[in-house]
Amino acid sequence: MKETDHRETSTINIIAQGTQVEGSILTSGDCRIDGVVKGNVTSKAKIIIGRSGKVEGNITCSNIDIEGTVLAETLTATELVYLKATANLHGNISTGKIAIEPGAEFSGNCKMHNTRATAAPQQPQEKK
């Protein structure tokens, strides 16, 4: 019998243009926002803020592509923050890597951390 893969299914959540959500969003899959979210957005995967998208709240994810507007106290992405030319981000970023296209607007602080796991130094073993 074949052993099944217990990883999360790859779901895509879409907040369409013309939709407004008031409250926090928590998902384990990818999330695309083309509407307006007034609340925190948390995903274990990737978030895409489309050109017409707007988020007014903190964001936590692994990767994020921003084409629209983000007004956040903190944006935390464990891997990559990608600001496209049309992006407008006001808030502090904590991420492993950042890419900013010419034309993007960013106002805030950015703290980058090493995403590579560092091996703990090995202790010398005592001889018996």
Side-chain angles (χ1 to χ4, degrees), residues 31-35 41 45-95 97-110:
C31 186
R32 180 175 178 96
I33 300 170
D34 291 309
V41 180
K46 183 175 187 173
I47 296 175
I48 299 169
I49 311 295
R51 193 173 284 205
S52 62
K54 182 176 183 179
V55 174
E56 296 178 20
N58 296 328
I59 298 175
T60 304
C61 58
S62 62
N63 294 288
I64 187 166
D65 289 356
I66 302 173
E67 294 180 84
T69 302
V70 174
L71 306 172
E73 187 175 320
T74 58
L75 186 158
T76 304
T78 55
E79 294 178 26
L80 173 68
V81 172
Y82 193 135
L83 300 179
K84 306 265 180 128
T86 57
N88 187 340
L89 169 62
H90 294 275
N92 298 319
I93 298 172
S94 175
T95 187
K97 297 177 187 173
I98 188 167
I100 303 175
E101 289 183 357
E105 295 181 24
F106 167 53
S107 175
N109 296 311
C110 180

Side-chain angles (χ1 to χ4, degrees), residues 1-7:
M1 182 176 208
K2 185 177 178 183
E3 193 171 316
T4 56
D5 191 357
H6 295 290
R7 286 182 285 167

